[in-house]
Amino acid sequence: MSAEAEESVRRGLRALAAADGPAPRPAGGTIRGRIRRPAFGRFTPWVLSTGAILAASAVAGVVILHDSDGPPRPTHASTALPTPDVKPFPDVRLASAVELGSRAAHAAERQPYRKPGPKQWVYTRAVSAGGFDMSTWWKGVDVNSRITFEDWHRVDGGGRAHYFGGKLRVFPAAPYDLKNHTNGPLFNLGNYDTLPTAPGALLHRLSTARYPTQVGETSAEDVFETMDDILRDPSPPKLRAAVYRALPKVEGVTLRKNVRDAAGRPGVAFARTNDVGEQTSIILDPTTYAYLGSREDVVYPHTYKGDDGKPYTTKPGTVLSWYAEVTQKIVDRPGTRT
């Protein structure tokens, strides 16, 4: 690999690890060797050629997120899934995604909230299915293994932190440019309060939002993913309620019952299948309606063509990603959990 190609891969991996910058939108609606949102959670998807994907996967082998519950300790990229104490699915009496949205919105509106300061940090402890490989993402994850990891990101986008080799590593970044949107997501904890909290107005705002360099229109899939991101964040209750009420209005969204998150918790979900047969589920607790996580499954096959001309096809039943948000808190500095 040339020095130029290697540096391109490294820039991409840094963006992946920092969730920094919008996902590039390929011209003409063609998906070129894309790298999916990794199975381990809140990272921005980005696009590379097939050759760069193979190189990136080799480099990425050194980037391992560490499990922690108290003092940091070594972890493996994939560990055997212990026999879980799996609760049975409750008898959820919901008629539609609209009813789920209404119930979840009422629950969200009752939650206390204190807006975090721009230099505070969001601490998240999460679980995902292991076995994700960027170079063969269409083969899915290993549903019989788990990665437990923790992550800190600063509210204003000014940094991320993870444990590497038992040591906390902090990666500074430029704060989100909320005026020009030259880095970071369009909507985040720094500007959530600018979004409307009427469901119809929120849906219109997200549907018409555009990056300065965006190619093509903002799709229903983009809107659905943005709503998932808002729910993953410790966002304001009124905004969360608006998201819940607006989700059933997004094209293609339906109710899905009896789905578990990666931690084994039973849930109910807003589900949407995109135009290449991949169904994403936003999973909620069936009793409290708290956000639990997400899951992406292949519903019907789709054949992609790599840059080398070789086809690769997704298979129905494949789990492409599986994520559970276990703990989330606002803290004053990275490395702290309370």
Side-chain angles (χ1 to χ4, degrees), residues 102-122:
S102 177
R103 292 189 187 186
H106 284 301
E109 289 168 335
R110 294 194 295 267
Q111 297 302 311
Y113 182 73
R114 181 179 179 181
K115 183 179 179 179
K119 293 187 178 180
Q120 288 188 293
W121 295 71
V122 179

Side-chain angles (χ1 to χ4, degrees), residues 34 36-37 220-222 224-229 232 247 252-256 259 269-283 291 293-299 318 320-323:
R34 69 175 176 174
R36 316 187 56 75
R37 185 197 314 217
E221 183 176 5
D222 295 327
F224 187 76
E225 290 181 355
T226 298
M227 289 181 172
D228 181 32
D229 289 339
R232 290 192 189 202
L247 269 166
V253 170
T254 60
L255 172 68
R256 181 181 179 185
V259 56
F270 298 99
R272 184 181 186 279
T273 303
N274 63 19
D275 58 1
V276 292
E278 298 159 9
Q279 182 185 70
T280 301
S281 299
I282 297 175
I283 308 170
Y291 179 87
S294 64
R295 178 177 169 124
E296 191 172 9
D297 304 86
V298 177
V299 177
T318 300
L320 296 173
S321 69
W322 202 7
Y323 170 80

Side-chain angles (χ1 to χ4, degrees), residues 6-236:
E6 182 176 353
E7 179 57 27
S8 175
V9 170
R10 291 185 183 280
R11 283 198 303 270
L13 287 170
R14 285 194 292 268
L16 183 66
D20 186 17
R25 296 175 179 271
T30 301
I31 301 175
R32 287 197 318 111
R34 69 175 176 174
I35 293 179
R36 316 187 56 75
R37 185 197 314 217
F40 39 80
R42 305 180 44 82
F43 298 99
T44 303
W46 43 291
V47 176
L48 291 174
S49 68
T50 302
I53 287 175
L54 295 173
S57 64
V59 178
V62 302
V63 183
I64 299 176
L65 299 178
H66 281 259
D67 176 13
S68 143
D69 187 8
R73 59 182 182 272
T75 189
H76 300 287
S78 182
T79 56
L81 178 65
T83 302
D85 181 16
V86 177
K87 296 180 180 179
F89 287 110
D91 182 17
V92 177
R93 298 182 181 276
L94 287 170
S96 65
V98 173
E99 185 177 359
L100 174 60
S102 177
R103 292 189 187 186
H106 284 301
E109 289 168 335
R110 294 194 295 267
Q111 297 302 311
Y113 182 73
R114 181 179 179 181
K115 183 179 179 179
K119 293 187 178 180
Q120 288 188 293
W121 295 71
V122 179
Y123 163 63
T124 303
R125 190 171 191 269
V127 176
S128 75
F132 177 79
D133 187 338
M134 288 186 293
S135 63
T136 56
W137 63 263
W138 62 91
K139 294 182 179 180
V141 295
D142 179 1
V143 296
N144 294 313
S145 70
R146 294 293 183 271
I147 300 170
T148 302
F149 63 96
E150 55 185 5
D151 166 81
W152 288 261
H153 69 276
R154 209 168 83 169
V155 169
D156 67 355
R160 294 195 82 97
H162 312 286
Y163 274 106
F164 288 87
K167 295 182 179 180
L168 182 70
R169 304 292 179 88
V170 180
F171 302 90
Y176 297 132
D177 185 339
L178 300 180
K179 182 178 180 181
N180 299 315
H181 302 299
T182 54
N183 71 301
L186 278 175
F187 305 109
N188 50 67
L189 283 169
N191 65 357
Y192 280 154
D193 56 2
T194 67
L195 289 172
T197 54
L202 176 64
L203 181 59
H204 180 267
R205 177 74 180 91
L206 298 183
S207 299
T208 56
R210 295 176 59 86
Y211 284 99
T213 57
Q214 180 172 321
V215 176
E217 297 301 317
T218 301
S219 67
E221 183 176 5
D222 295 327
V223 173
F224 187 76
E225 290 181 355
T226 298
M227 289 181 172
D228 181 32
D229 289 339
I230 291 172
L231 295 175
R232 290 192 189 202
D233 274 332
S235 47

